[in-house]
Amino acid sequence: MLSGKGGTGKTFVSVNLAVTAKNAICIDCDVEEPNGRLFLKPEESVTEEVYTKLPQVLEEKCIGCRKCVDSCRFNAMGFIKNSPLVFPEVCHSCGACSLLCPTGAIYELKRPIGIVERGRNKEVQVITGILNIGEASGIPVIQNALDTKITEKSIMIIDCPPGSACSVMESVQTADYCLLVVEATIFGFHNFKMVYELVSLLQKPCGVVINKGDYTYYPLINFCKENNITILCCIPYQEKLAQIGANGEVASEKDDETRMIFSTLLDKIRMEVRE
Amino acid sequence: MKKLLILSGKGGTGKTTTTAAFIDFSKADAFADCDVDAPNLHLIAGMKGSPQKTHYYGSEKAIIDDKKCVDCGVCNQNCRFQGIIRADGRYSVNPYACEGCGVCMYTCPVGAVTMEEDIAGELALYWEERLFSTAKLKMGRGNSGKLVTAVKKQLEQGHDNEELAIIDGSPGIVCPVIASISGVDMVLIVAEPSLSGISDMKRILRTAEIFQVRMAVCVNKYDTCIENTEEIKRLCQREGIPFVGCIPYDEKVSVAVNEGHSISKINCPARDALYQVYENIKVYFI
């Protein structure tokens, strides 16, 4: 589930599709702002801490050769008072310093950066990556959340973060099919083109869901026609849906019309994936 | 230069619409779009002339020389980012996974790996009439925090008087957001009265707190859930954060935006409410 622009309804579509599919695994990869769990309210949750590695210097072994400092391409190591100093905020945990240290003076400590929560809502497995506040990158948390076994019969729904940067790339790479949730506005369309470019580059088949809109925003409709992109469905803006969503409820459990929309959408996706 | 940054945590709450309106209300002649992942402000800022564009080099990417490579796989074993792939019996670099750390180059026994500067995006600076600094990150690239810093530097270098500059931020809480917060005088958080909106607002408030920057909160589309709007007001009161106003859901907003102009130019309830928010926040930093 992708969108480029934030707030177009990725989580809304993910959650409703998961509930409709029943036998589903719903993974929230928007680890900065994970919201799927607010709707799916998983039970019997187990949480696992996610770590990254942080280099530490054993001063008694350090000979001051500066190899670690000079090899770090992120400037995460400085040389102060004849001894290396680590700046954790910019460290990418690549391991170059410990690998290159000739005396084994650098070892790595586990540093917690977030958690992955695994629980269920009836038949839906709900997996959520939650990044700690103040961390610069959520990639390791996304990787941990995506590291989930899937059976033949179930469908895995991956709710991506907005944008089209590295964290989105991480989430898209494992997918068989990409659903692009678009808002029919100039902003939505502009950012949609950016993620479409990304999906095309990775050669992933994709389809479009227009949310909070209709078929009258022609720049989008024409773009889809020209590029042969299937518009799978269009969910109009409705106050009742906004209300249900605002209260953290799942629309397809509350509203028959929405249930129909998602059950048709799911069938269409299944057909597209088979093709 | 005084800098006001607009953030939200959650995406799609109305950051760019608010930013564009504030630019008009304040007659600011310097502004920036730090949402380098999905920039939109240029679509409604009404800029004249074409921008001056420069490449942005984010980091380096490894390149394996096939002629020198002896297929030992040491690079693959040492890479922690799955940046080395093996296809058709050869090792090569996946540029989307490569972090540019150089471990493969350092460990290659035959010197087959080199590092090359990677163009990770493009900076744009509009300078006729008004100064507008923006950028676009290339797809799938990391290091967007560095690009945000470059966008702000462009703005600061072109503009050195004491006037107000308005900056549109990105959703989320990681590197681009952290980079956008540093050095600003105030952050306005545009919240949304939904359960998700409240959860995300709390996360961005706690992120901004770390940098000890002044904050204020407004609620957009407040009438989609009055109870949640009240909840946000209470939360602000408890935490001593100024609450600077409520903007109603207004169909005219997306109509104006789709025509490519700011809501400030249209007579409607959302515009009036945004103007009030602007007046309320002004007192905190001017």
Side-chain angles (χ1 to χ4, degrees):
Chain A
M1 208 69 58
L2 292 159
S3 74
K5 182 177 180 310
T8 64
K10 285 179 297 300
T11 302
F12 168 69
V13 178
S14 299
V15 163
N16 279 286
L17 267 185
V19 167
T20 309
K22 295 201 172 70
N23 193 352
I25 305 171
C26 197
I27 304 185
D28 197 341
C29 284
D30 188 0
V31 301
E32 297 175 55
E33 314 287 9
N35 288 330
R37 64 197 290 275
L38 301 176
F39 298 90
L40 291 170
K41 305 176 180 70
E43 289 173 356
E44 300 161 38
S45 293
V46 201
T47 58
E48 185 192 339
E49 199 125 23
V50 180
Y51 301 93
T52 178
K53 289 174 176 168
L54 189 68
Q56 306 285 312
V57 183
L58 288 167
E59 278 181 35
E60 61 276 19
K61 282 195 179 177
C62 176
I63 51 167
C65 71
R66 292 186 56 116
K67 261 210 164 117
C68 53
V69 178
D70 297 339
S71 64
C72 181
R73 304 179 98 83
F74 309 109
N75 301 316
M77 280 216 158
F79 206 68
I80 291 156
K81 288 188 195 150
N82 289 324
S83 128
L85 184 76
V86 184
F87 306 117
E89 299 79 20
V90 278
C91 174
H92 286 222
S93 308
C94 69
C97 51
S98 57
L99 209 59
L100 297 177
C101 176
T103 61
I106 297 176
Y107 67 102
E108 291 178 304
L109 265 188
K110 273 165 50 175
R111 187 176 70 89
I113 58 157
I115 57 164
V116 170
E117 177 192 78
R118 291 163 200 270
R120 28 178 75 251
N121 170 330
K122 289 173 218 148
E123 292 103 316
V124 180
Q125 224 183 304
V126 185
I127 298 169
T128 314
I130 306 172
L131 183 71
N132 290 348
I133 307 278
E135 289 296 337
S137 164
I139 303 267
V141 180
I142 295 177
Q143 284 169 340
N144 186 304
L146 284 172
D147 188 12
T148 301
K149 283 198 182 71
I150 181 167
T151 57
E152 267 298 306
K153 283 190 183 131
S154 58
I155 168 172
M156 184 186 272
I157 298 166
I158 303 168
D159 190 3
C160 284
S164 49
C166 52
S167 53
V168 175
M169 192 62 113
E170 200 63 46
S171 317
V172 175
Q173 272 170 344
T174 55
D176 299 298
Y177 187 81
C178 296
L179 205 60
L180 312 180
V181 185
V182 195
E183 192 186 88
T185 64
I186 190 171
F187 294 163
F189 178 50
H190 182 68
N191 300 153
F192 157 73
K193 284 190 284 187
M194 295 173 72
V195 271
Y196 175 67
E197 209 181 318
L198 183 140
V199 168
S200 316
L201 193 91
L202 293 176
Q203 299 178 315
K204 298 280 179 189
C206 68
V208 165
V209 172
I210 302 174
N211 191 24
K212 297 183 270 187
D214 51 33
Y215 289 98
T216 60
Y217 186 67
Y218 293 108
L220 171 67
I221 305 293
N222 293 339
F223 182 87
C224 289
K225 255 188 216 156
E226 281 158 26
N227 291 282
N228 216 359
I229 311 165
T230 318
I231 300 177
L232 296 163
C233 82
C234 176
I235 306 163
Y237 177 80
Q238 290 179 71
E239 224 181 293
K240 64 173 181 191
L241 293 186
Q243 288 281 354
I244 293 172
N247 292 321
E249 290 172 322
V250 179
S252 55
E253 287 180 335
K254 292 271 154 188
D255 176 63
D256 288 336
E257 200 186 336
T258 312
R259 187 180 307 134
M260 279 305 293
I261 290 178
F262 279 99
S263 133
T264 317
L265 175 63
L266 187 68
D267 289 342
K268 281 190 183 168
I269 295 169
R270 286 203 162 117
M271 272 168 61
E272 291 265 324
V273 173
R274 257 177 232 131
E275 275 168 22
Chain B
M1 170 171 24
K2 294 260 188 202
K3 282 173 274 186
L4 170 67
L5 170 67
I6 320 280
L7 289 177
S8 69
K10 185 174 182 323
T13 65
K15 282 182 297 300
T16 304
T17 305
T18 303
T19 306
F22 277 25
I23 289 168
D24 288 348
F25 294 150
S26 65
K27 300 190 173 62
D29 56 8
F31 39 95
D33 190 350
C34 284
D35 188 2
V36 297
D37 242 27
N40 280 331
L41 185 58
H42 63 287
L43 298 170
I44 54 165
M47 299 310 295
K48 293 212 173 88
S50 41
Q52 167 195 322
K53 290 185 174 174
T54 39
H55 285 317
Y56 160 69
Y57 295 95
S59 64
E60 296 167 315
K61 300 275 175 208
I63 292 177
I64 300 174
D65 184 346
D66 272 346
K67 291 190 200 88
K68 289 188 187 165
C69 178
V70 292
D71 245 0
C72 67
V74 168
C75 53
N76 192 26
Q77 285 157 23
N78 285 312
C79 177
R80 290 188 177 173
F81 309 103
Q82 286 94 46
I84 310 282
I85 38 180
R86 184 157 174 90
D88 306 325
R90 292 159 50 187
Y91 288 103
S92 63
V93 176
N94 172 4
Y96 298 107
C98 176
E99 291 258 329
C101 67
V103 161
C104 50
M105 178 186 70
Y106 297 134
T107 54
C108 177
V110 293
V113 188
T114 49
M115 302 300 291
E116 270 184 28
E117 285 261 40
D118 173 59
I119 299 173
E122 190 176 62
L123 281 150
L125 185 68
Y126 294 84
W127 47 273
E128 288 174 37
E129 290 183 359
R130 300 177 299 168
L131 199 69
F132 173 35
S133 175
T134 179
K136 187 174 161 180
L137 188 73
K138 218 162 122 181
M139 289 166 312
R141 290 302 197 265
N143 268 330
S144 48
K146 258 170 83 182
L147 181 52
V148 166
T149 305
V151 168
K152 284 167 72 185
K153 210 168 159 192
Q154 264 198 158
L155 181 75
E156 280 155 18
Q157 281 171 348
H159 198 77
D160 49 9
N161 65 30
E162 273 298 287
E163 278 171 37
L164 176 67
I166 296 171
I167 303 169
D168 193 5
S170 63
I173 57 168
V174 295
C175 51
V177 174
I178 292 171
S180 66
I181 293 175
S182 93
V184 301
D185 298 278
M186 183 150 206
V187 173
L188 171 65
I189 289 162
V190 183
E192 192 188 86
S194 63
L195 225 54
S196 317
I198 293 175
S199 167
D200 297 350
M201 181 189 79
K202 286 182 188 162
R203 286 171 71 82
I204 186 67
L205 283 174
R206 277 158 54 204
T207 307
E209 265 164 31
I210 297 175
F211 299 91
Q212 298 185 325
V213 61
R214 292 171 90 178
M215 288 181 273
V217 170
C218 68
V219 174
N220 192 16
K221 303 178 213 168
Y222 83 91
D223 43 354
T224 54
C225 189
I226 305 280
E227 301 84 64
N228 284 340
T229 299
E230 289 304 318
E231 165 82 35
I232 293 172
K233 279 189 194 167
R234 281 195 297 272
L235 197 144
C236 289
Q237 204 170 22
R238 270 203 310 274
E239 303 201 359
I241 298 162
F243 185 86
V244 287
C246 292
I247 303 130
Y249 175 79
D250 192 332
E251 280 176 351
K252 284 193 175 159
V253 174
S254 53
V255 175
V257 165
N258 280 351
E259 285 168 3
H261 45 75
S262 163
I263 188 78
S264 64
K265 299 190 174 66
I266 291 163
N267 244 333
C268 65
R271 181 220 171 261
D272 297 345
L274 265 171
Y275 190 76
Q276 199 50 55
V277 171
Y278 169 70
E279 285 287 314
N280 291 346
I281 197 170
K282 232 170 59 175
V283 301
Y284 290 101
F285 65 102
I286 290 176

